[in-house]
Amino acid sequence: MALVFSSGSATSGPRSASKILNAARDVLSAQGYPALTIEAVAAAAGVGKTTIYRWWPSKEALVADALAEIFRADEIPDLGDTHAELRQAVDMTIDNYTNEDMATALPALAASLLPHPELMTRFRETFLHRKRENIAAALHRGIQRGDLPDDLDTDLVQDIWAGTILYRRLMTGSPLDTDLAEHLVQLTTKAPPLLPRRESPRTSR
Amino acid sequence: MALVFSSGSATSGPRSASKILNAARDVLSAQGYPALTIEAVAAAAGVGKTTIYRWWPSKEALVADALAEIFRADEIPDLGDTHAELRQAVDMTIDNYTNEDMATALPALAASLLPHPELMTRFRETFLHRKRENIAAALHRGIQRGDLPDDLDTDLVQDIWAGTILYRRLMTGSPLDTDLAEHLVQLTTKAPPLLPRRESPRTSR
DNA sequence: CCAGGATCGATACGATACGTATCGTTACGG
DNA sequence: CCGTAACGATACGTATCGTATCGATCCTGG
């Protein structure tokens, strides 16, 4: 993974990039996003803070590169089984947000980049596009197999999947378990039940 | 709306609460969440920063109260029309996140409160529970009318609705338009199409 | 209507992090 | 093996933090 958010102006490149990015994730885990200061990362990495300022223009850029290294955007292999492939897609998204750092830092990052269109574009390229393309490929295979409606809105499906997972992790705190994964997959299938039902009917609050 | 995040230790109460909360939202709109410092709010409100520190224990608490004042958690009236009621529920959520401040500050707030369970609980009570109860009431009316499956998972429905809306606003930047609202509502109906389709078949992406 | 208590604004304080500049040292590649 | 860069250390001025203090002001209840 290249340092997409690094300045990278000079001719060679940072010698201690991975040491710094590891330290950034360590600080993130131990102290949380607000306490992640450049000076703290420098201390944790055993590095002069000058070195960090040399290569990353801001705390946001540093965090983005640190997260990009552990963000999963795998290709979904053709398993000949639409359900299994979609389940793999959902599981990958759940994996990404199960990570504590990712769950807190990604939304904080997006929120602070939102007013800066150019940085936001780079953020989307790093954390959205590749993953979405790979999942879209799996969805299209499902459509061609006749397992999914041929006018399926693949973008909306992915918004629903990732949105629900992010929302549960960030806001409600509900578990990201296999039931959720299965419900989200079943949302896309042709036949009912299209909307997930509760396992055991309860009175719901 | 009471100042749920204020310390409120003394006997009387802040004389200039609304002036301060208005200023906080002004700074948020003009400068963004990271630039929202206590001193900036104090200056914008024409108030000594001591006064803010007297009543709010942190920047997060101040922002939470400022957002709580404009967060919509309306009751959904019984319209005798399930579709109309659900549409109203979705529109309310879209309204909440269409607001620029809310879209950037709420996720940032949640992310910074996530490691503090007690504050996170108060956050959820303020920004989740009341709204969810009101929407759940509408969903239950729909179930009793026979318009919705009687084992509908009302919690998951709301996670999907709010999650998709938040994700679009924060991450993808896709529009929160009437098409989206309609698709989200139709997700819950019994009869196909349960998963929203694209209007005009395109090549996807 | 006035007294007393609470809130207010102003100011000062040490601490921390910012981002930049400088400078001598270290490491790596041609 | 030598030169070019990346490096670490250090120092600097600025900004904000959160706290303490203190006299002025509000406003409430008696």
Side-chain angles (χ1 to χ4, degrees):
Chain A
M1 173 66 63
L3 301 172
V4 289
F5 288 88
S6 157
S7 323
S9 50
T11 53
S12 313
R15 281 209 289 265
S16 46
S18 73
K19 187 166 53 165
I20 290 170
L21 296 178
N22 281 329
R25 286 188 296 269
D26 288 347
V27 172
L28 198 53
S29 297
Q31 317 283 343
Y33 185 79
L36 189 149
T37 68
I38 301 283
E39 307 207 327
V41 175
V47 144
K49 72 169 173 166
T50 319
T51 302
I52 297 181
Y53 279 112
R54 237 193 299 271
W55 295 105
W56 287 275
S58 66
K59 157 180 170 170
E60 284 74 28
L62 177 62
V63 174
D65 276 336
L67 294 183
E69 281 198 337
I70 58 171
F71 184 81
R72 293 187 53 194
D74 314 348
E75 277 189 37
I76 312 286
D78 186 338
L79 303 171
D81 177 345
T82 298
H83 184 277
E85 290 179 19
L86 299 191
R87 180 60 189 276
Q88 200 164 318
V90 169
D91 284 345
M92 178 170 67
T93 302
I94 289 181
D95 264 17
N96 274 334
Y97 287 106
T98 298
N99 180 285
E100 185 85 25
D101 300 346
M102 206 73 95
T104 66
L106 255 194
L109 202 51
S112 62
L113 263 38
L114 214 43
H116 307 286
E118 184 225 336
L119 290 175
M120 196 61 200
T121 299
R122 228 160 356 144
F123 174 87
R124 292 194 178 110
E125 284 164 1
T126 305
F127 295 103
L128 261 50
H129 292 177
R130 200 156 48 92
K131 170 164 174 274
R132 285 177 85 92
E133 284 169 18
N134 289 337
I135 295 182
L139 287 168
H140 286 132
R141 285 198 296 273
I143 293 171
Q144 278 170 342
R145 290 188 196 112
D147 295 330
L148 301 175
D150 63 358
D151 60 348
L152 185 73
D153 188 332
T154 58
D155 283 326
L156 181 54
V157 169
Q158 298 208 44
D159 289 345
I160 291 174
W161 283 354
T164 304
I165 291 165
L166 171 63
Y167 189 81
R168 285 207 164 192
R169 193 71 171 86
L170 184 64
M171 305 285 277
T172 72
S174 311
L176 305 181
D177 51 22
T178 56
D179 286 345
L180 175 67
E182 200 54 39
H183 288 329
L184 289 179
V185 168
Q186 286 175 8
L187 257 182
T188 67
T189 61
K190 258 179 173 169
L194 287 131
L195 192 89
R197 314 296 169 84
R198 292 195 306 264
E199 265 72 70
S200 52
R202 352 174 207 119
T203 47
S204 161
R205 178 136 16 167
Chain B
M1 172 68 61
L3 301 173
V4 289
F5 289 88
S6 158
S7 322
S9 51
T11 53
S12 313
R15 282 209 289 263
S16 46
S18 72
K19 187 167 53 164
I20 290 171
L21 296 178
N22 281 328
R25 286 190 295 270
D26 288 346
V27 173
L28 198 53
S29 297
Q31 317 283 343
Y33 184 80
L36 188 150
T37 67
I38 301 284
E39 308 207 324
V41 175
V47 142
K49 72 168 175 166
T50 318
T51 302
I52 297 181
Y53 279 112
R54 236 193 300 271
W55 295 105
W56 286 275
S58 66
K59 157 180 168 169
E60 285 73 29
L62 176 63
V63 174
D65 276 336
L67 294 183
E69 281 198 338
I70 58 171
F71 184 81
R72 292 188 54 195
D74 314 348
E75 278 189 38
I76 312 286
D78 187 338
L79 304 171
D81 176 344
T82 298
H83 184 278
E85 290 180 19
L86 299 191
R87 180 61 188 274
Q88 200 164 320
V90 169
D91 284 345
M92 179 170 66
T93 302
I94 288 181
D95 264 17
N96 274 334
Y97 286 106
T98 299
N99 179 286
E100 185 84 26
D101 299 347
M102 206 73 94
T104 66
L106 256 194
L109 202 51
S112 62
L113 263 38
L114 213 43
H116 307 286
E118 183 225 336
L119 291 175
M120 196 61 200
T121 299
R122 215 137 36 120
F123 175 86
R124 292 196 178 108
E125 285 164 0
T126 306
F127 294 104
L128 261 51
H129 293 175
R130 201 155 48 93
K131 170 164 174 274
R132 285 177 86 92
E133 284 170 18
N134 289 337
I135 295 181
L139 286 168
H140 285 133
R141 286 198 297 273
I143 292 172
Q144 278 169 341
R145 289 187 197 113
D147 296 331
L148 301 175
D150 63 359
D151 59 350
L152 185 72
D153 188 332
T154 57
D155 284 327
L156 181 56
V157 169
Q158 297 208 44
D159 290 345
I160 292 174
W161 283 354
T164 304
I165 290 165
L166 171 63
Y167 189 81
R168 285 206 164 194
R169 193 70 170 84
L170 183 64
M171 306 285 276
T172 71
S174 310
L176 305 181
D177 50 22
T178 55
D179 285 344
L180 175 66
E182 199 52 41
H183 288 328
L184 289 179
V185 168
Q186 287 176 7
L187 258 183
T188 67
T189 62
K190 259 180 174 169
L194 287 133
L195 190 90
R197 315 295 168 84
R198 292 194 305 266
E199 264 73 69
S200 52
R202 350 176 207 116
T203 48
S204 157
R205 175 149 37 98

